[in-house]
Amino acid sequence: MDKIEIKNATIIDGLGGEPYIGNLYLNDGKIIAISHGESLDSDISIDAFGKIVTPGFIDLHTHSDLSFLLDSTAQSKVRQGVTMELIGNCGMSPCAPLIGESKDLLMQRLSTYENNEGLIDKINWTNYAGYIEASRKSGATLNVAFQVGHGTLRSAVIGQEDRPPSADELTEMKRLTGEALDAGALGFSTGLFYAPGYYARTDEIIAIAEEVGKRNKLYSTHQRDEGTISVGLFTSLNEAIEIGRRAECKVQISHVKCDFQKVWGKADKVLALIENAVDEGLDVAGDQYPYPRSSTGITGALFPRWSLSGGREETLKIMANEDSRGELIDGINEIIDQGIGPEAVLIARYVPDESLEGKNLAEISDLMRIPPAETVLSMYEKGEAMVIEYSMDENDVDKFAKHHLIAVASDGSSVSKEGILSVGKPHPRSYGTNPRFIQKYVNEKKLVSIQEAVRKMTSMPAQRIGLTNRGRLIPGYAADIVIMDLPNVEEKSTFVDPHQYPKGITHVIVNGEIVIKDEKFTGKTPGKMITNFDS
């Protein structure tokens, strides 16, 4: 491995300290020295004069569980400066464990990709250890850390039914969770907003999260309600905090937001509740993607949860019955009415008819000449869809962005401009979260300093996961490095044309190997599978 010198750098350590000028030296995947003038021997020298050098960014909330199995060179995150992703979020770890209905759900998901036969043939594991090993063999442009998802566990043990687990089923979910954590997963996630996680009562989550607390790992949650769809934002947030209190585990509130108009303007109250939990002595924090639009599946966005019990086949039966179909349409209309309207729902991915991608629900409704709720059902009859919704107020987004307990995270996936991962019109966050945060909140709005922005992307997420040698620029730490031309950092991805890489992130080094050089991909895939705190 080459010895690398990064000279004349403006160094930001990741801890929030003031920038300083120095030279960084990397060897054998580690930072070996930081000097303030004198030079050391090196094979490669990068002159970073006038540029910012930081630790690699750590994305706490991603859905790249399949990305590197499909394409080990997926570039959208690493080109942002992301050198590690934490996957398995929102209760979804679709690749493991693969037993019961969870394997069927994975096959359904794979069906949305063309030329996927090679991967389907390779799926011969059932447990989390097998998935981690398959990921290791595939390789990746960046480091990957893992979580086991509650929704996947429920699918594996109970299926999609709306009922509490039996004692034996709860024991089995706890066993599978412990097995995944011991195999190398660094956390357990819930998606209580989604089916089947929505069907779980709080005590079920606490019982499973106790396995996390025993191992000092992370509990992350897409909480039950981020607006007023069910129990309400604040009841939901209190539930998340109570789970951490009773299970004695760290709590990460995923993609903190005030979702839809009825809770717009409540950011201060959300932050006060998190602060109060911290003052109590609980280990609670959050993360956020810096956009006013969210993205999820069409069922998660627009279907009432009662209509999803039993899975897709049962939902189709509800749609086929005249009486229950009417009730379902009423439920969808109620959800649409809580938002801005059908114009705010954009289709991001729809395999049955890709011409609808990029159009909003109102436009598609006009094309089909049926009301929006009927349009939703007509689309779902033919297949699944991903949607993007305008659902947040910019003032709330700004308040979360500058708060010291909120990290930067994408809620996106590693994708690419070409190949199997270039499909659809995904949310721009998969290409631009970190550059956007720097461009918008550091350079333009000046809500946070560059050193605070870097802290939110490096040492803070490392601390949340429990990592002991990443997220800082100090000798002995892993050589995950970002070099940026700060004034020219720019998100290029848009909702209309999302498949665009950012500007201004000139170099990205992962485990001591240069993956991005002068904003170009080198073809290297030096990412490691992060399966313990010292990885």
Side-chain angles (χ1 to χ4, degrees):
M1 184 176 291
D2 291 324
K3 295 179 181 178
I4 299 175
E5 172 191 57
I6 305 171
K7 64 183 181 180
N8 304 318
T10 300
I11 297 172
I12 295 180
D13 62 9
L15 295 171
E18 289 297 316
Y20 63 92
I21 304 298
N23 304 332
L24 248 68
Y25 293 89
L26 318 176
N27 189 28
D28 198 24
K30 300 285 186 182
I31 301 169
I32 59 171
I34 300 176
S35 74
H36 300 279
E38 65 277 14
S39 296
L40 304 179
D41 289 339
S42 61
D43 302 308
I44 297 172
S45 182
I46 301 170
D47 191 348
F49 179 77
K51 294 177 181 175
I52 300 288
V53 177
T54 78
F57 304 150
I58 298 172
D59 192 340
L60 270 176
H61 190 103
T62 86
H63 293 280
S64 297
D65 303 68
L66 274 169
S67 293
F68 300 109
L69 295 177
L70 291 165
D71 178 5
S72 63
T73 66
Q75 298 170 48
S76 70
K77 291 294 191 65
V78 76
R79 283 178 178 265
Q80 297 183 51
V82 174
T83 58
M84 182 188 296
E85 296 189 75
L86 179 65
I87 64 172
N89 281 284
C90 295
M92 293 176 267
S93 56
C95 296
L98 293 182
I99 56 177
E101 291 186 22
S102 65
K103 185 166 185 177
D104 297 334
L105 293 171
L106 174 60
M107 294 301 143
Q108 289 175 22
R109 189 165 178 172
L110 280 171
S111 69
T112 65
Y113 296 96
E114 296 180 357
N115 303 317
N116 59 18
E117 295 84 1
L119 176 57
I120 290 176
D121 292 341
K122 291 178 185 176
I123 296 175
N124 57 5
W125 66 87
T126 58
N127 59 19
Y128 221 106
Y131 169 49
I132 292 173
E133 182 58 26
S135 299
R136 184 177 287 112
K137 289 178 179 177
S138 288
T141 52
L142 46 70
N143 302 305
V144 180
F146 303 84
Q147 294 180 108
V148 60
H150 168 255
T152 301
L153 292 168
R154 240 186 178 258
S155 298
V157 176
I158 301 174
Q160 304 296 303
E161 296 179 39
D162 181 1
R163 65 172 177 83
S166 67
D168 287 345
E169 288 168 337
L170 182 58
T171 297
E172 178 63 1
M173 285 193 286
K174 287 170 65 73
R175 185 192 70 79
L176 289 170
T177 301
E179 180 181 83
L181 295 170
D182 292 339
L186 297 183
F188 162 65
S189 77
T190 55
L192 302 181
F193 177 75
Y194 299 110
Y198 181 83
Y199 307 138
R201 305 301 183 262
T202 306
D203 285 347
E204 175 184 326
I205 307 303
I206 291 168
I208 300 172
E210 286 173 349
E211 299 299 317
V212 181
K214 291 175 188 175
R215 296 164 174 83
N216 195 30
K217 294 191 175 182
L218 184 67
Y219 167 60
S220 62
T221 181
H222 181 147
Q223 55 181 307
R224 199 174 294 274
D225 196 352
E226 296 170 323
T228 56
I229 294 293
S230 59
V231 300
L233 172 59
F234 294 98
T235 297
S236 175
L237 188 53
N238 274 303
E239 178 189 34
I241 293 168
E242 182 64 16
I243 290 166
R245 181 184 289 116
R246 291 173 57 187
E248 299 183 355
C249 62
K250 294 186 289 187
V251 177
Q252 186 71 17
I253 309 297
S254 297
H255 39 58
V256 176
K257 62 171 74 82
C258 297
D259 213 25
F260 296 113
Q261 290 165 296
K262 289 183 180 180
V263 292
W264 283 2
K266 305 288 188 183
D268 288 333
K269 291 184 178 180
V270 170
L271 292 168
L273 191 51
I274 296 173
E275 289 172 351
N276 289 340
V278 172
D279 290 343
E280 181 189 332
L282 301 177
D283 194 344
V284 181
D287 53 67
Q288 174 218 30
Y289 51 86
Y291 298 84
R293 295 174 185 249
S294 58
S295 182
T296 190
I298 197 168
T299 52
L302 298 174
F303 280 59
R305 296 301 176 260
W306 62 264
S307 68
L308 305 175
S309 177
R312 178 175 172 81
E313 293 306 314
E314 292 302 314
T315 303
L316 292 173
K317 289 178 184 178
I318 290 171
M319 292 163 56
N321 179 281
E322 184 176 342
D323 292 336
S324 57
R325 184 182 181 91
E327 188 179 356
L328 175 54
I329 287 172
D330 289 343
I332 292 172
N333 280 326
E334 184 179 341
I335 292 171
I336 291 174
D337 290 344
Q338 287 208 31
I340 297 172
E343 298 82 4
V345 182
L346 191 72
I347 303 304
R349 180 71 176 138
Y350 187 55
V351 174
D353 185 354
E354 293 181 351
S355 71
L356 300 183
E357 294 171 358
K359 292 183 172 63
N360 67 49
L361 183 56
E363 292 170 329
I364 298 170
S365 176
D366 288 342
L367 285 172
M368 292 186 175
R369 298 183 180 181
I370 53 178
E374 287 280 9
T375 300
V376 170
L377 296 186
S378 177
M379 292 180 66
Y380 183 72
E381 283 173 351
K382 297 179 180 69
E384 304 287 339
M386 289 295 295
V387 302
I388 294 170
E389 290 185 280
Y390 175 47
S391 62
M392 287 165 270
D393 178 68
E394 286 277 6
N395 290 329
D396 289 328
V397 176
D398 288 357
K399 286 181 178 180
F400 293 134
K402 65 183 182 180
H403 196 274
H404 70 282
L405 290 175
I406 307 298
V408 178
S410 72
D411 197 13
S413 303
S414 277
V415 292
S416 287
K417 287 178 63 174
E418 58 281 317
I420 194 170
L421 296 176
S422 64
V423 295
K425 293 186 181 294
H427 195 297
R429 62 196 182 189
S430 288
Y431 282 90
T433 291
N434 299 82
R436 176 185 176 88
F437 193 93
I438 293 166
Q439 176 187 354
K440 185 171 184 178
Y441 295 107
V442 176
N443 290 345
E444 295 175 3
K445 292 192 173 186
K446 303 188 187 305
L447 289 180
V448 298
S449 66
I450 182 59
Q451 55 265 38
E452 173 62 3
V454 170
R455 184 190 71 84
K456 286 169 166 284
M457 301 176 188
T458 58
S459 67
M460 183 183 182
Q463 182 273 329
R464 299 306 298 156
I465 301 172
L467 305 177
T468 59
N469 67 351
R470 296 180 191 267
R472 305 178 187 181
L473 293 186
I474 59 175
Y477 268 51
D480 294 341
I481 310 290
V482 172
I483 304 175
M484 73 177 85
D485 182 8
L486 179 60
N488 294 310
V489 171
E490 181 182 356
E491 176 194 30
K492 302 296 290 183
S493 179
T494 68
F495 289 98
V496 175
D497 186 9
H499 293 289
Q500 299 188 73
Y501 298 127
K503 289 178 57 180
I505 307 296
T506 63
H507 294 71
V508 182
I509 299 171
V510 179
N511 297 317
E513 295 198 42
I514 301 172
V515 179
I516 303 299
K517 179 182 180 182
D518 297 322
E519 300 191 23
K520 294 181 175 62
F521 179 49
T522 66
K524 293 186 177 180
T525 56
K528 295 182 178 179
M529 304 303 113
I530 306 301
T531 56
N532 60 66
F533 300 139
D534 300 324
S535 291

